[in-house]
Amino acid sequence: MKAPGDPRPVVFPAHARETFAAAYPEVPHVLEHALGAHPLMELGALARLAEALPPGSIEYNASDQPIGVSGKPAPTGLPIGETLRRIETSRSWAVLKNIEQHPAYAALLEALLDELRLAIEARTGRMLKTQGFVFVTSAGGVTPYHFDPEHNILLQVRGSKVMTQFPAGDPAFAPDAIHEAYHTGGGRELTWRPELVSGGQEFALRQGEAVFVPVMAPHFVRNGPEPSVSLSITWRSEWSFAEADARAFNALLRRIGIAPAAPGRWPARNRGKALAWRIARRLGAG
């Protein structure tokens, strides 16, 4: 939390922090934020950031994607800086990963997470591996169906979008074998079937709104009728790492012919399987 006398403005108002504290870590919800037209989130600043980041921290492609894709779409052919500066017409989707590599963006990430630190650490312990990601999308673009391993809050800074989320841990939406493959080095893309949509919950976001995404909750995103800029602030916890390691241990069990039970969701801790995987990995069995 911010210390008395800290001059930084509060981004998450008191009622938003209360909502977050009541729902974290398992219940998706929309939060109000006051990040506003932050200068670090302007397209020119983001284009300069993208040009300064290492190539492995940049991903961009055509924004006209289906909800379900197989593998990674191809880049648009434009340089990343021009992709962002011309987002009105480039029909592109871009993500700038690990923006905390830049000192100014690291300070922004730290300030935002600091506002929620007490609520987070009261439930899942110390925040680990804090990271930031910026998404810049042309009008109507789609982020295909996938999941992420982090606790995540997506702040809408410009434009609008609709995120459709599905229940975390439900194999109907993300089979256990896909989780296990991901945590042992595979991809996170999921197979989309139109009949799944009835199980999703839509979260419509305008500028000044954010959505919380629980660990490994499958989701896809449809951008609104104008370009969008969103900031994703993420963190891991010992709970999330234990869930991931339990999944990896289940992959090991499945390879030797055992059909394991899926890890429990919060408040289950999954310590036994997580410890077993960490031992197996040290012994070279992972």
Side-chain angles (χ1 to χ4, degrees):
M1 295 292 290
K2 292 179 181 178
D6 190 330
R8 294 175 299 180
V10 172
V11 172
F12 295 106
H15 65 85
R17 298 196 303 272
E18 291 168 2
T19 297
F20 174 80
Y24 180 74
E26 281 291 82
V27 182
H29 56 281
V30 171
L31 299 167
E32 180 184 341
H33 73 82
L35 187 60
H38 196 287
L40 292 178
M41 294 291 110
E42 296 292 335
L43 287 177
L46 293 173
R48 291 189 294 274
L49 172 64
E51 290 166 340
L53 287 172
S57 296
I58 304 297
E59 183 179 342
Y60 62 110
N61 51 56
S63 61
D64 302 328
Q65 301 294 331
I67 294 173
V69 298
S70 178
K72 295 290 186 184
T76 59
L78 287 174
I80 182 60
E82 287 306 299
T83 293
L84 300 188
R85 292 184 180 97
R86 296 165 52 184
I87 201 66
E88 297 270 359
T89 59
S90 63
R91 299 177 65 182
S92 298
W93 171 93
V95 57
L96 313 185
K97 305 176 184 179
N98 301 117
I99 60 171
E100 69 279 359
Q101 296 173 87
H102 187 289
Y105 290 89
L108 175 61
L109 174 65
E110 180 181 7
L112 292 171
L113 289 176
D114 194 50
E115 293 189 19
L116 304 170
R117 184 178 303 275
L118 288 181
I120 291 168
E121 295 189 346
R123 292 287 183 89
T124 55
R126 186 166 61 93
M127 282 189 288
L128 306 171
K129 201 176 180 180
T130 57
Q131 297 176 310
F133 304 82
V134 172
F135 297 89
V136 183
T137 314
S138 296
V142 171
T143 303
Y145 188 51
H146 69 288
F147 56 58
D148 300 301
E150 305 94 355
H151 306 277
N152 177 15
I153 298 175
L154 182 74
L155 293 85
Q156 192 65 21
V157 178
R158 171 183 172 179
S160 64
K161 60 180 49 170
V162 176
M163 176 185 285
T164 303
Q165 280 195 50
F166 299 82
D170 188 332
F173 302 103
D176 291 334
I178 298 295
H179 281 284
E180 293 161 16
Y182 172 70
H183 289 301
T184 51
R188 72 180 77 179
E189 290 76 27
L190 297 168
T191 300
W192 174 252
R193 304 189 309 278
E195 60 268 26
L196 295 178
V197 74
S198 62
Q201 182 178 5
E202 289 189 349
F203 295 91
L205 301 179
R206 299 170 297 177
Q207 181 176 333
E209 294 179 321
V211 62
F212 172 67
V213 187
V215 171
M216 306 304 281
H219 57 279
F220 66 85
V221 182
R222 291 188 185 277
N223 206 48
E226 60 186 50
S228 164
V229 176
S230 305
L231 169 63
S232 182
I233 59 174
T234 78
W235 63 98
R236 298 293 299 270
S237 63
E238 177 52 35
W239 179 83
S240 75
F241 280 119
E243 192 266 356
D245 287 345
R247 292 281 189 185
F249 186 68
N250 277 358
L252 181 61
L253 293 177
R254 207 176 293 278
R255 289 202 299 269
I256 62 175
I258 298 173
R265 295 293 300 183
W266 175 267
R269 298 289 184 168
N270 301 306
R271 289 191 178 110
K273 284 184 176 179
L275 178 60
W277 171 249
R278 292 165 191 178
I279 292 171
R281 191 169 49 197
R282 282 200 296 269
L283 295 174

